[in-house]
Amino acid sequence: MRKMKEKVLLFCLGFLLTGASVLQAQEEPVATEAEYDKAYERRIQQEYLYGVYIPKDLSDAIVQLNKLADRESLQKFRMAEEEEAVRKLHFSLGRWIIHNWGFYGGSRLSVALKDMGLHHPDDMARLIIRSMHRSLNKKPIEVKAQVTALQEAREAERKKRMESAEILYEEKRQLNRDSVELRKQR
């Protein structure tokens, strides 16, 4: 267990020491939905955001991570067990990916991953980390199976939250005849 922690720490340090972490400038908040849409459309077209190259797709993301990390860190990451590596790196490398590759504000990579069926930034980062691990180990990446598993886990989590949710207020209304007729016409 201690060796695994050391491996994860070394991998994360490798990213920091290679200059992979970039402080991003703050954007002014948008005032209207139209301004947000315009800013989003601009962001998803950009090859660079705040001086950071944004990969165009999953395979480009793996290539970029391989370029950013030093060989020793990559070797230690490769040797780690897949589930453990994905879980432990989520709050370090995963956060770096989410932040620097613009998953919350939108980027060309986030759009590519949304087109694959992932909508939550955490799921996007997990897909990239697991795919990189499999790539380093020369295993099939199985993108569709990974996406399906992430979607199912997200849905199971949502259902679990809904089952334990407390209804704060419930209102029942009687429909009048006009409302019923309008619904029938639709």
Coordinates of all heavy atoms in Angstrom, one line a residue, residues 87-143:
R87 N -8.7 5.5 -9.3 CA -9.3 6.1 -8.1 C -8.3 7.1 -7.4 O -8.7 8.2 -7.1 CB -9.6 4.9 -7.1 CG -10.3 5.4 -5.9 CD -10.7 4.2 -4.9 NE -9.6 3.4 -4.5 CZ -8.7 3.8 -3.5 NH1 -8.9 5.0 -3.0 NH2 -7.7 3.0 -3.2
K88 N -7.1 6.7 -7.3 CA -6.1 7.6 -6.6 C -5.8 8.8 -7.4 O -5.5 9.9 -6.8 CB -4.9 6.8 -6.2 CG -5.1 5.8 -5.1 CD -3.9 5.5 -4.4 CE -4.3 4.6 -3.2 NZ -3.4 4.6 -2.1
L89 N -5.7 8.7 -8.7 CA -5.3 9.9 -9.5 C -6.5 10.8 -9.8 O -6.2 11.9 -10.3 CB -4.6 9.4 -10.8 CG -3.2 8.8 -10.6 CD1 -2.7 8.4 -12.0 CD2 -2.3 9.8 -10.0
H90 N -7.7 10.4 -9.5 CA -8.8 11.2 -9.8 C -8.7 12.6 -9.2 O -9.0 13.6 -9.8 CB -10.1 10.6 -9.4 CG -11.3 11.4 -9.7 ND1 -11.7 11.6 -11.0 CD2 -12.1 12.2 -9.0 CE1 -12.8 12.4 -11.0 NE2 -13.0 12.8 -9.8
F91 N -8.3 12.7 -7.9 CA -8.3 14.0 -7.2 C -7.0 14.7 -7.4 O -6.8 15.8 -6.9 CB -8.6 13.8 -5.7 CG -10.0 13.4 -5.5 CD1 -10.4 12.1 -5.2 CD2 -11.0 14.3 -5.7 CE1 -11.7 11.7 -5.1 CE2 -12.4 14.0 -5.6 CZ -12.7 12.7 -5.2
S92 N -6.1 14.2 -8.2 CA -4.8 15.0 -8.5 C -4.8 15.2 -10.1 O -5.1 16.3 -10.5 CB -3.6 14.3 -8.0 OG -3.6 12.9 -8.5
L93 N -4.4 14.2 -10.8 CA -4.4 14.3 -12.2 C -5.8 14.6 -12.8 O -5.9 15.4 -13.7 CB -3.8 13.0 -12.8 CG -3.8 12.9 -14.4 CD1 -3.0 14.0 -15.0 CD2 -3.3 11.6 -14.8
G94 N -6.8 13.9 -12.3 CA -8.1 14.2 -12.8 C -8.6 15.6 -12.6 O -9.2 16.2 -13.5
R95 N -8.3 16.2 -11.5 CA -8.6 17.6 -11.2 C -7.8 18.5 -12.2 O -8.3 19.5 -12.7 CB -8.2 18.1 -9.8 CG -9.1 17.4 -8.8 CD -10.5 18.0 -8.8 NE -11.4 16.9 -8.8 CZ -12.6 16.9 -9.4 NH1 -13.1 18.0 -10.0 NH2 -13.4 15.9 -9.5
W96 N -6.5 18.2 -12.4 CA -5.7 18.9 -13.4 C -6.4 18.9 -14.8 O -6.5 19.9 -15.5 CB -4.3 18.4 -13.5 CG -3.4 19.2 -14.3 CD1 -2.6 20.2 -13.9 CD2 -3.3 19.1 -15.8 NE1 -1.9 20.7 -15.0 CE2 -2.3 20.1 -16.2 CE3 -3.8 18.2 -16.7 CZ2 -2.0 20.2 -17.5 CZ3 -3.4 18.4 -18.0 CH2 -2.5 19.4 -18.4
I97 N -6.8 17.7 -15.2 CA -7.4 17.5 -16.5 C -8.7 18.4 -16.6 O -8.9 19.1 -17.6 CB -7.7 16.0 -16.8 CG1 -6.4 15.3 -17.0 CG2 -8.7 15.8 -17.9 CD1 -6.6 13.7 -17.0
I98 N -9.5 18.2 -15.6 CA -10.8 18.9 -15.6 C -10.6 20.4 -15.7 O -11.2 21.1 -16.5 CB -11.6 18.6 -14.4 CG1 -12.1 17.1 -14.5 CG2 -12.8 19.5 -14.2 CD1 -12.7 16.5 -13.2
H99 N -9.7 20.9 -14.9 CA -9.5 22.4 -14.8 C -8.7 22.9 -16.0 O -9.2 23.9 -16.7 CB -8.6 22.7 -13.5 CG -8.3 24.1 -13.4 ND1 -9.3 25.1 -13.1 CD2 -7.2 24.8 -13.5 CE1 -8.7 26.3 -13.0 NE2 -7.4 26.1 -13.3
N100 N -7.6 22.3 -16.4 CA -6.8 22.8 -17.4 C -7.3 22.6 -18.8 O -7.0 23.3 -19.8 CB -5.3 22.3 -17.3 CG -4.6 23.0 -16.2 OD1 -4.2 24.2 -16.3 ND2 -4.5 22.3 -15.0
W101 N -8.1 21.5 -19.0 CA -8.7 21.2 -20.3 C -10.1 21.7 -20.4 O -10.8 21.3 -21.3 CB -8.5 19.7 -20.6 CG -7.0 19.4 -21.0 CD1 -6.0 20.3 -21.2 CD2 -6.5 18.1 -21.1 NE1 -4.9 19.6 -21.5 CE2 -5.1 18.3 -21.4 CE3 -7.0 16.8 -20.9 CZ2 -4.2 17.2 -21.6 CZ3 -6.1 15.8 -21.1 CH2 -4.7 16.0 -21.5
G102 N -10.5 22.5 -19.5 CA -11.8 23.3 -19.6 C -13.1 22.5 -19.7 O -14.0 22.8 -20.4
F103 N -13.2 21.5 -18.8 CA -14.4 20.7 -18.8 C -15.6 21.4 -18.3 O -16.7 21.1 -18.7 CB -14.2 19.4 -18.1 CG -13.3 18.4 -18.8 CD1 -13.0 17.2 -18.2 CD2 -12.7 18.7 -20.0 CE1 -12.2 16.3 -18.9 CE2 -11.9 17.8 -20.7 CZ -11.6 16.6 -20.1
Y104 N -15.5 22.3 -17.3 CA -16.6 23.0 -16.8 C -17.1 24.1 -17.7 O -18.3 24.3 -18.0 CB -16.4 23.5 -15.4 CG -16.4 22.4 -14.3 CD1 -15.3 22.1 -13.6 CD2 -17.6 21.8 -14.1 CE1 -15.4 21.1 -12.7 CE2 -17.7 20.8 -13.1 CZ -16.6 20.4 -12.4 OH -16.6 19.4 -11.5
G105 N -16.1 24.9 -18.2 CA -16.5 26.0 -19.1 C -16.7 25.6 -20.6 O -17.2 26.4 -21.3
G106 N -16.3 24.4 -20.9 CA -16.4 24.0 -22.3 C -15.1 24.1 -23.0 O -14.4 25.1 -22.9
S107 N -14.7 23.1 -23.8 CA -13.5 23.1 -24.6 C -13.8 22.1 -25.7 O -14.7 21.3 -25.7 CB -12.3 22.6 -23.8 OG -12.4 21.3 -23.4
R108 N -12.9 22.1 -26.7 CA -13.1 21.1 -27.8 C -13.0 19.7 -27.3 O -13.7 18.8 -27.8 CB -12.1 21.4 -29.0 CG -10.7 21.2 -28.7 CD -9.8 21.6 -29.8 NE -8.5 21.1 -29.7 CZ -7.6 21.0 -30.7 NH1 -8.0 21.4 -31.9 NH2 -6.4 20.5 -30.5
L109 N -12.2 19.4 -26.3 CA -12.1 18.1 -25.8 C -13.4 17.7 -25.0 O -13.9 16.6 -25.2 CB -10.9 17.9 -24.8 CG -10.7 16.5 -24.2 CD1 -10.6 15.4 -25.2 CD2 -9.5 16.5 -23.3
S110 N -13.9 18.6 -24.2 CA -15.2 18.3 -23.5 C -16.3 18.0 -24.5 O -17.1 17.2 -24.2 CB -15.5 19.4 -22.5 OG -16.0 20.6 -23.2
V111 N -16.3 18.7 -25.6 CA -17.4 18.5 -26.6 C -17.2 17.1 -27.2 O -18.2 16.4 -27.4 CB -17.4 19.6 -27.7 CG1 -18.2 19.3 -28.9 CG2 -17.8 20.9 -27.1
A112 N -16.0 16.8 -27.5 CA -15.7 15.4 -28.1 C -16.2 14.3 -27.1 O -16.7 13.3 -27.6 CB -14.2 15.3 -28.4
L113 N -15.9 14.5 -25.8 CA -16.3 13.5 -24.9 C -17.8 13.5 -24.7 O -18.4 12.5 -24.4 CB -15.6 13.7 -23.5 CG -14.0 13.6 -23.6 CD1 -13.4 14.0 -22.3 CD2 -13.7 12.2 -24.0
K114 N -18.5 14.7 -24.7 CA -19.9 14.7 -24.7 C -20.5 14.0 -25.9 O -21.5 13.3 -25.7 CB -20.4 16.2 -24.6 CG -20.2 16.8 -23.3 CD -20.7 18.3 -23.3 CE -20.4 18.9 -21.9 NZ -20.8 20.3 -21.9
D115 N -19.9 14.2 -27.0 CA -20.4 13.4 -28.2 C -20.3 11.9 -28.0 O -21.0 11.2 -28.7 CB -19.7 13.9 -29.5 CG -20.0 15.3 -29.9 OD1 -21.0 15.9 -29.4 OD2 -19.2 15.9 -30.7
M116 N -19.4 11.5 -27.2 CA -19.3 10.1 -26.9 C -20.3 9.6 -25.9 O -20.5 8.4 -25.7 CB -17.9 9.8 -26.4 CG -16.8 10.0 -27.4 SD -15.1 10.0 -26.6 CE -14.9 8.3 -26.4
G117 N -21.0 10.5 -25.2 CA -22.0 10.2 -24.2 C -21.7 10.5 -22.8 O -22.4 10.1 -21.9
L118 N -20.6 11.2 -22.5 CA -20.2 11.6 -21.2 C -20.5 13.0 -21.0 O -20.2 13.9 -21.8 CB -18.7 11.3 -20.9 CG -18.3 9.9 -21.0 CD1 -16.8 9.8 -20.8 CD2 -19.0 9.0 -20.0
H119 N -21.2 13.3 -19.9 CA -21.6 14.7 -19.6 C -21.0 15.3 -18.3 O -21.0 16.5 -18.2 CB -23.1 14.8 -19.6 CG -23.7 14.4 -20.9 ND1 -23.6 15.1 -22.1 CD2 -24.2 13.2 -21.3 CE1 -24.2 14.5 -23.1 NE2 -24.5 13.3 -22.6
H120 N -20.5 14.5 -17.5 CA -20.0 14.9 -16.2 C -18.5 15.0 -16.3 O -17.8 14.1 -16.7 CB -20.4 14.0 -15.1 CG -20.3 14.6 -13.7 ND1 -19.1 14.8 -13.1 CD2 -21.2 15.1 -12.8 CE1 -19.2 15.3 -11.9 NE2 -20.5 15.5 -11.7
P121 N -17.9 16.1 -15.9 CA -16.4 16.3 -15.9 C -15.7 15.2 -15.2 O -14.6 14.7 -15.7 CB -16.2 17.6 -15.3 CG -17.4 18.4 -15.6 CD -18.5 17.4 -15.5
D122 N -16.2 14.7 -14.1 CA -15.5 13.6 -13.4 C -15.4 12.4 -14.2 O -14.4 11.6 -14.2 CB -16.2 13.3 -12.0 CG -15.9 14.4 -11.0 OD1 -15.0 15.1 -11.1 OD2 -16.7 14.4 -10.0
D123 N -16.5 12.1 -14.9 CA -16.5 10.9 -15.8 C -15.6 11.0 -17.0 O -14.9 10.1 -17.4 CB -17.9 10.6 -16.3 CG -18.9 10.3 -15.2 OD1 -18.5 9.9 -14.1 OD2 -20.2 10.4 -15.4
M124 N -15.5 12.2 -17.5 CA -14.6 12.5 -18.6 C -13.1 12.3 -18.1 O -12.3 11.6 -18.9 CB -14.7 14.0 -19.1 CG -16.1 14.3 -19.7 SD -16.2 16.0 -20.1 CE -17.8 16.1 -20.7
A125 N -12.8 12.8 -17.0 CA -11.4 12.6 -16.4 C -11.1 11.1 -16.2 O -10.0 10.6 -16.5 CB -11.2 13.4 -15.2
R126 N -12.1 10.4 -15.6 CA -11.9 9.0 -15.4 C -11.7 8.2 -16.7 O -10.8 7.3 -16.7 CB -13.1 8.4 -14.6 CG -13.1 8.7 -13.2 CD -14.3 8.0 -12.5 NE -14.3 8.4 -11.1 CZ -15.2 9.3 -10.6 NH1 -16.0 9.9 -11.4 NH2 -15.1 9.7 -9.3
L127 N -12.4 8.5 -17.7 CA -12.2 7.9 -19.0 C -10.8 8.1 -19.5 O -10.1 7.2 -20.0 CB -13.2 8.4 -20.0 CG -13.0 7.9 -21.5 CD1 -13.4 6.4 -21.6 CD2 -13.8 8.7 -22.4
I128 N -10.3 9.3 -19.4 CA -9.0 9.6 -19.9 C -7.9 8.9 -19.1 O -7.0 8.3 -19.7 CB -8.7 11.2 -19.9 CG1 -9.6 11.8 -20.9 CG2 -7.3 11.5 -20.1 CD1 -9.7 13.4 -20.8
I129 N -8.0 8.9 -17.8 CA -7.0 8.3 -16.9 C -7.0 6.8 -17.2 O -5.9 6.2 -17.4 CB -7.3 8.6 -15.4 CG1 -7.0 10.1 -15.2 CG2 -6.4 7.7 -14.5 CD1 -7.5 10.5 -13.8
R130 N -8.2 6.1 -17.2 CA -8.2 4.7 -17.4 C -7.7 4.4 -18.8 O -7.0 3.4 -19.0 CB -9.7 4.2 -17.3 CG -9.8 2.7 -17.4 CD -11.2 2.2 -17.2 NE -11.8 2.7 -16.0 CZ -11.7 2.2 -14.7 NH1 -10.9 1.1 -14.6 NH2 -12.3 2.7 -13.7
S131 N -8.1 5.1 -19.8 CA -7.6 4.9 -21.2 C -6.1 5.0 -21.3 O -5.5 4.2 -22.0 CB -8.3 5.9 -22.2 OG -9.7 5.6 -22.2
M132 N -5.6 6.0 -20.6 CA -4.1 6.2 -20.6 C -3.4 5.0 -20.0 O -2.5 4.5 -20.5 CB -3.7 7.5 -19.9 CG -2.2 7.7 -19.9 SD -1.9 9.3 -19.1 CE -0.1 9.1 -19.0
H133 N -4.0 4.5 -18.9 CA -3.4 3.3 -18.2 C -3.5 2.1 -19.1 O -2.5 1.4 -19.2 CB -4.2 3.1 -16.9 CG -3.6 2.0 -16.0 ND1 -3.8 0.7 -16.2 CD2 -2.7 2.2 -15.0 CE1 -3.1 0.0 -15.3 NE2 -2.4 0.9 -14.6
R134 N -4.6 1.9 -19.8 CA -4.7 0.8 -20.7 C -3.7 0.9 -21.8 O -3.1 -0.1 -22.3 CB -6.1 0.6 -21.1 CG -7.1 0.1 -20.0 CD -8.5 0.0 -20.5 NE -9.3 -0.5 -19.4 CZ -10.6 -0.8 -19.5 NH1 -11.2 -0.6 -20.7 NH2 -11.3 -1.2 -18.5
S135 N -3.6 2.1 -22.4 CA -2.7 2.4 -23.5 C -1.3 2.1 -23.1 O -0.5 1.4 -23.8 CB -2.8 3.8 -23.9 OG -1.8 4.1 -24.9
L136 N -0.8 2.5 -21.9 CA 0.5 2.2 -21.4 C 0.8 0.7 -21.3 O 1.9 0.3 -21.4 CB 0.8 3.0 -20.1 CG 0.9 4.5 -20.2 CD1 1.0 5.1 -18.8 CD2 2.2 4.9 -21.0
N137 N -0.3 0.0 -20.9 CA -0.2 -1.4 -20.7 C -0.5 -2.2 -21.9 O -0.6 -3.5 -21.9 CB -1.1 -1.9 -19.5 CG -0.4 -1.5 -18.2 OD1 0.6 -2.1 -17.8 ND2 -1.0 -0.5 -17.5
K138 N -0.7 -1.5 -23.1 CA -1.0 -2.2 -24.3 C -2.2 -3.1 -24.3 O -2.3 -4.2 -24.8 CB 0.2 -2.9 -24.9 CG 1.4 -2.0 -25.1 CD 2.6 -2.7 -25.8 CE 3.8 -1.8 -26.0 NZ 3.8 -0.4 -25.8
K139 N -3.2 -2.6 -23.5 CA -4.5 -3.3 -23.4 C -5.5 -2.6 -24.3 O -5.4 -1.4 -24.6 CB -5.0 -3.3 -22.0 CG -4.2 -4.1 -21.0 CD -4.8 -4.0 -19.7 CE -4.1 -4.9 -18.7 NZ -4.7 -4.8 -17.3
P140 N -6.6 -3.3 -24.8 CA -7.6 -2.6 -25.5 C -8.3 -1.5 -24.7 O -8.6 -1.8 -23.5 CB -8.6 -3.7 -25.8 CG -7.9 -5.0 -25.6 CD -6.8 -4.7 -24.6
I141 N -8.5 -0.4 -25.2 CA -9.1 0.7 -24.5 C -10.5 0.6 -24.2 O -11.1 0.9 -23.2 CB -8.7 2.1 -25.1 CG1 -7.2 2.3 -25.0 CG2 -9.5 3.2 -24.5 CD1 -6.7 3.6 -25.7
E142 N -11.2 0.0 -25.2 CA -12.7 -0.3 -25.1 C -13.5 0.9 -24.7 O -14.2 0.9 -23.7 CB -12.9 -1.5 -24.1 CG -12.2 -2.8 -24.6 CD -12.4 -3.9 -23.6 OE1 -12.4 -3.6 -22.3 OE2 -12.5 -5.1 -24.0
V143 N -13.4 1.9 -25.5 CA -14.1 3.2 -25.2 C -15.6 3.0 -24.9 O -16.1 3.5 -24.0 CB -13.8 4.2 -26.3 CG1 -14.6 5.5 -26.0 CG2 -12.3 4.5 -26.4

